[in-house]
Amino acid sequence: MADDPHQYSLSEFATQFTWALLFWNAAERTLRQIVAELIGSSTAAALAVAMDMGTRGVLSALEASRRQITDADELCDHLAHLSVGFSILIGHRNHYVHGLSGVSWKDKEPRDSIIHLDGFIITLKGEGRLRSTMRQIAFKEMLEFKQHCLDLSQYARAVMNELVEDEWELEGLLDTDPPSLQKPIWPKSLQNTPSYLQA
């Protein structure tokens, strides 16, 4: 089955998507550790509370907690930049995780290179009026998403290291470069124009 979509170069799209989610999960876990440190000195109880927070709850807690820091302007600046990146990438992550519905080679292109791969986003939403979003995702876009998730993960680790030592030893689960406090450049917020299926 030479055209099996689960084999050969098509699998590279899935591989990059998987890496993106691994980096996202690492970033989210580190952000929960940061919240736990800010609200309760990273005690087991504070970490338990932070780990049970939803993504938006983590973002709100991070925003509220950083506003209480008065003696570390540079750290506040990093926490603010981290919050901005996390907020933007939540939208990207949700768009890909809940909308990515298929992968295929581009029409009329040779099937010999991953640069000819496309993903397909299909979403349906209600909220009082049925609407859909349908668009293609180039392989390059998936690579960029993966890189942004890696940047978020490493930057969060660097901020965490400024706050406290990683006594839970969760930081080294992914074999990546040492974290850096150099501020990443975040992507733009995701803007999708839906098609309304109801008048």
Side-chain angles (χ1 to χ4, degrees):
M1 291 196 305
D3 293 338
D4 184 346
H6 302 101
Q7 296 182 28
Y8 309 107
S9 58
L10 277 180
S11 66
E12 187 63 21
F13 195 102
T15 298
Q16 298 304 320
F17 185 48
T18 301
W19 275 116
L21 297 185
L22 287 172
F23 294 140
W24 172 265
N25 289 342
E28 219 176 6
R29 183 179 57 247
T30 303
L31 282 157
R32 285 184 166 88
Q33 287 180 272
I34 290 171
V35 167
E37 176 61 25
L38 292 173
I39 66 175
S41 298
S42 202
T43 62
L47 192 58
V49 170
M51 290 298 170
D52 276 349
M53 288 180 175
T55 304
R56 296 289 177 184
V58 171
L59 181 60
S60 295
L62 185 62
E63 282 286 325
S65 299
R66 76 171 179 82
R67 295 178 191 280
Q68 296 188 125
I69 301 175
T70 57
D71 58 350
D73 290 341
E74 186 176 351
L75 181 58
C76 279
D77 188 43
H78 285 300
L79 287 167
H81 191 65
L82 186 59
S83 293
V84 168
F86 186 48
S87 178
I88 290 171
L89 287 171
I90 286 172
H92 287 258
R93 178 261 181 200
N94 288 346
H95 183 63
Y96 296 128
V97 167
H98 299 298
L100 188 59
S101 302
V103 182
S104 180
W105 278 280
K106 293 180 182 178
D107 290 342
K108 300 179 182 178
E109 293 283 358
R111 299 183 174 195
D112 60 356
S113 172
I114 59 175
I115 64 171
H116 299 307
L117 294 176
D118 268 341
F120 298 93
I121 291 282
I122 303 172
T123 62
L124 287 170
K125 290 188 177 181
E127 299 173 1
R129 187 180 179 190
L130 184 62
R131 61 191 188 276
S132 72
T133 300
M134 299 179 70
R135 73 179 189 87
Q136 291 177 270
I137 303 172
F139 183 73
K140 180 176 180 285
E141 183 178 341
M142 183 53 61
L143 287 177
E144 290 170 352
F145 174 59
K146 180 198 75 172
Q147 185 61 49
H148 288 308
C149 289
L150 175 57
D151 291 344
L152 180 70
S153 174
Q154 291 183 314
Y155 187 53
R157 286 172 56 198
V159 172
M160 178 67 187
N161 289 344
E162 293 296 302
L163 284 167
V164 66
E165 184 179 345
D166 181 25
E167 63 178 297
W168 300 95
E169 298 182 354
L170 299 175
E171 205 177 84
L173 294 178
L174 285 175
D175 185 17
T176 58
D177 293 332
S180 168
L181 281 175
Q182 182 175 349
K183 289 182 178 178
I185 298 173
W186 306 124
K188 293 180 180 179
S189 295
L190 199 59
Q191 301 292 328
N192 288 312
T193 303
S195 298
Y196 288 93
L197 304 180
Q198 287 183 297

